[in-house]
Amino acid sequence: MENKAKPNGTATLTVNGQSYDLPVMSGEIGPDVIDIRKLYAQTGMFTFDPGFTSTASCESQITYIDGGEGTLLYRGYPIDQLADQSNFMEVCYLLLHGELPSSKEFEDFDWTIRRHSMLHDQFDQFFRGFRRDAHPMAIMVGTVGALAAFYHDSTDINDPEARTIASHRMIAKMPTIAARAYKYSIGQPFISPRNEMDYASNFLRQCFAVPAEDYKGSDVLAKAMDKIFILHADHEQNASTSTVRLAGSSGANPFACIASGIASLWGPAHGGANEAALNMLYEIGSVDKIPEYVRKAKDKDDPFRLMGFGHRVYKNYDPRAKVMRETCHQVLDELGVRNDPLLQVAMELEKIALEDDYFVEKKLYPNIDFYSGITLKAMGFPTEMFTVLFALARTVGWIAQWTEMVEDPSQKIGRPRQLFTGATPRDYVDLSKR
Ligand code: SDX
């Protein structure tokens, strides 16, 4: 990665009667940044930004979000155009390489990914060690981290060839691992990936085929799955991507870094929101119960939040939620479950929330997780699998961001500081005197 930030004047900080000039830098689009890398050396002070609401942790050229406009670009291409006109394998190539592939480049990339989808034969022993009722995200964190135990020939992060092989292995094997986590939880035999199938169809077959009969897939559902993968592929410096970057900054191997991203994504405030949003719709149960839950969501003393609403960056409609809602309707139509009561509750809840002053003032719009749960449930996935599918799709984004970090000449180990408000120095008191 080549650093392309452009100097754009200075910002002056005056503190304790002393003024300091801090460089301002501009990117191609989006907010300028104040470069504070020398702030502590110059002033002896830290900045304070829990949750990093005003902090750019890195320079990146992969994904751009404009929260006010509701814009999301992967390498400059709008998410709705990619969802409508591209496919997940092509989006993987775009995120990793920065440009859309030629037909030869696509063919080679797609061929490689199809042929890395199998797992080491001993890998399947791992699943046997888990309880059948283990949460599949627990299985994902454990097994993806263990890939380093099987593929240590591609863990040297300083070798570009090893980085490429590890990246292809993770993109290709994530569906196989995810499908195995699901099959294991329902006590069905594992289904092997097939090289002649496209990525999404291959994954659906590994999840829903059984040896007792021929599997008949649905092109509409495979296309919907592929689109859902595209929507979830990357999203700038979100919590799990920042986790991957921080883990990678210490030089940890790529499998361990992606496993750390899966762990972070699991949280209900992040990737776990799709599971939490569907459970919330179940809890609300019917349209007449919605006002009670909207009141709870607005009550400062009530920890309840409308899962699938709100976003740290989007203060406008999440552009992915628009595509997700259309895909949701297509899937329900294909499956003949248009009158799913959960969809009725979701659509009425969205309507009420978008008209309610509290949500309007706080700019709380439905995010990608609001409709994904209904769609995935209709496709036959249990709720616990929803975040697994999010992790499957986000693997390419994590890898693209990790690669950019490793190749960034300005990157160093991430090591934030703190504002310390604990005990000041004091002498030890012997137990006999306490
Ligand atoms: C993802 O970062 C990414 O890019 C993530 C993601 C990705 O692709 O990687 O987009 C995926 O994680 C989407 C978000 C999924 N999470 C949820 O749907 C969970 C419900 N949403 C909230 O928990 C919340 O909106 C967050 C976590 C998403 C954002 O939280 P922020 O930016 O820290 O905002 P906040 O918690 O400070 O909330 C601002 C105000 C607060 O009220 P006040 O204290 O100012 O009075 O809005 C309120 C909050 O109480 N609020 C909500 C709400 N979300 C925020 N009130 C009710 N319901 C909600 N959902």
Side-chain angles (χ1 to χ4, degrees):
M1 169 190 171
E2 181 198 345
N3 292 134
K4 294 182 179 175
K6 293 170 281 204
N8 184 10
T10 59
T12 301
L13 173 69
T14 301
V15 60
N16 301 333
Q18 179 90 22
S19 290
Y20 305 89
D21 283 343
L22 301 168
V24 171
M25 297 192 294
S26 298
E28 285 306 313
I29 43 177
D32 287 351
V33 297
I34 299 172
D35 183 345
I36 58 167
R37 282 175 285 191
K38 294 192 169 57
L39 180 75
Y40 179 55
Q42 286 178 313
T43 69
M45 299 172 85
F46 300 138
T47 58
F48 186 65
D49 187 14
F52 309 121
T53 51
S54 303
T55 294
S57 62
C58 62
E59 176 182 340
S60 181
Q61 295 154 15
I62 299 173
T63 293
Y64 177 74
I65 302 171
D66 181 325
E69 295 297 317
T71 305
L72 168 57
L73 308 176
Y74 289 167
R75 300 286 189 177
Y77 295 97
I79 189 67
D80 51 333
Q81 291 184 26
L82 291 171
D84 289 343
Q85 302 172 51
S86 185
N87 61 69
F88 183 63
M89 269 304 102
E90 186 175 73
V91 166
C92 286
Y93 185 96
L94 172 67
L95 287 169
L96 293 172
H97 297 279
E99 298 296 336
L100 288 170
S102 65
S103 49
K104 174 78 171 64
E105 287 165 336
F106 177 77
E107 203 180 300
D108 292 347
F109 180 74
D110 187 48
W111 186 96
T112 299
I113 298 300
R114 288 174 190 240
R115 280 158 186 75
H116 276 77
S117 58
M118 285 178 65
L119 289 164
H120 186 292
D121 187 48
Q122 277 175 239
F123 195 88
D124 283 353
Q125 306 308 319
F126 258 110
F127 295 92
R128 311 277 170 231
F130 293 107
R131 286 173 44 143
R132 292 281 181 178
D133 61 355
H135 194 293
M137 281 299 279
I139 295 178
M140 294 299 289
V141 172
T143 50
V144 171
L147 286 170
F150 289 85
Y151 301 106
H152 26 64
D153 61 325
S154 60
T155 53
D156 175 2
I157 67 160
N158 299 307
D159 172 0
E161 186 57 31
R163 291 203 300 267
T164 300
I165 294 172
S167 302
H168 289 166
R169 279 172 164 159
M170 281 189 279
I171 292 167
K173 297 178 195 306
M174 206 57 85
T176 309
I177 295 172
R180 272 153 161 69
Y182 171 55
K183 284 300 200 186
Y184 185 72
S185 72
I186 56 176
Q188 286 187 2
F190 296 155
I191 301 293
S192 174
R194 299 283 310 174
N195 289 347
E196 77 277 8
M197 299 185 84
D198 68 77
Y199 195 84
S201 304
N202 209 351
F203 172 63
L204 290 175
R205 180 179 170 277
Q206 291 185 78
C207 290
F208 299 120
V210 288
E213 61 186 30
D214 292 341
Y215 171 74
K216 189 181 174 321
S218 151
D219 291 344
V220 171
L221 296 187
K223 178 71 187 150
M225 189 81 266
D226 193 83
K227 199 175 278 190
I228 291 169
F229 289 159
I230 291 173
L231 294 176
H232 287 80
D234 193 48
H235 212 239
E236 198 214 65
Q237 306 310 319
N238 57 82
S240 54
T241 297
S242 300
T243 302
V244 170
R245 280 180 170 261
L246 198 55
S249 72
S250 74
N253 75 69
F255 303 109
C257 295
I258 299 309
S260 74
I262 296 173
S264 170
L265 186 76
W266 195 356
H270 188 15
N274 50 21
E275 178 177 351
L278 195 81
N279 290 335
M280 175 192 73
L281 292 173
Y282 273 121
E283 187 184 334
I284 294 173
S286 60
V287 168
D288 60 303
K289 298 276 285 303
I290 291 175
E292 176 200 337
Y293 281 86
V294 169
R295 184 190 53 71
K296 280 167 61 71
K298 291 155 64 173
D299 179 354
K300 294 306 299 161
D301 299 324
D302 190 325
F304 175 79
R305 286 193 165 183
L306 285 187
M307 302 314 281
F309 278 81
H311 197 278
R312 170 62 58 77
V313 176
Y314 289 123
K315 302 308 173 190
N316 196 323
Y317 212 97
D318 181 337
R320 302 168 298 175
K322 281 193 187 111
V323 181
M324 195 65 244
R325 185 174 53 187
E326 288 156 19
T327 305
C328 182
H329 287 301
Q330 286 161 7
V331 166
L332 296 184
D333 284 344
E334 165 76 2
L335 296 169
V337 287
R338 192 73 170 82
N339 298 321
D340 182 339
L342 283 183
L343 179 67
Q344 309 310 324
V345 173
M347 290 171 66
E348 182 61 19
L349 177 57
E350 178 185 29
K351 181 172 169 298
I352 292 174
L354 292 180
E355 290 163 0
D356 184 287
D357 290 346
Y358 174 91
F359 290 88
V360 173
E361 272 159 40
K362 293 183 187 296
K363 300 183 186 307
L364 301 175
Y365 293 87
N367 58 49
I368 187 165
D369 296 302
F370 186 61
Y371 281 101
S372 58
I374 302 167
T375 311
L376 296 173
K377 170 186 167 289
M379 292 174 77
F381 291 104
T383 315
E384 302 74 39
M385 278 294 289
F386 294 178
T387 312
V388 170
L389 301 183
F390 195 151
L392 190 172
R394 186 55 58 88
T395 294
V396 64
W398 288 330
I399 288 169
Q401 299 273 352
W402 170 80
T403 304
E404 184 177 69
M405 184 272 305
V406 170
E407 295 173 354
D408 182 342
S410 69
Q411 80 93 16
K412 351 158 53 106
I413 188 167
R415 207 279 185 217
R417 300 303 302 274
Q418 61 182 8
L419 173 65
F420 184 73
T421 55
T424 52
R426 52 184 171 167
D427 295 327
Y428 180 79
V429 177
D430 188 80
L431 184 58
S432 61
K433 296 193 175 68
R434 277 181 253 157

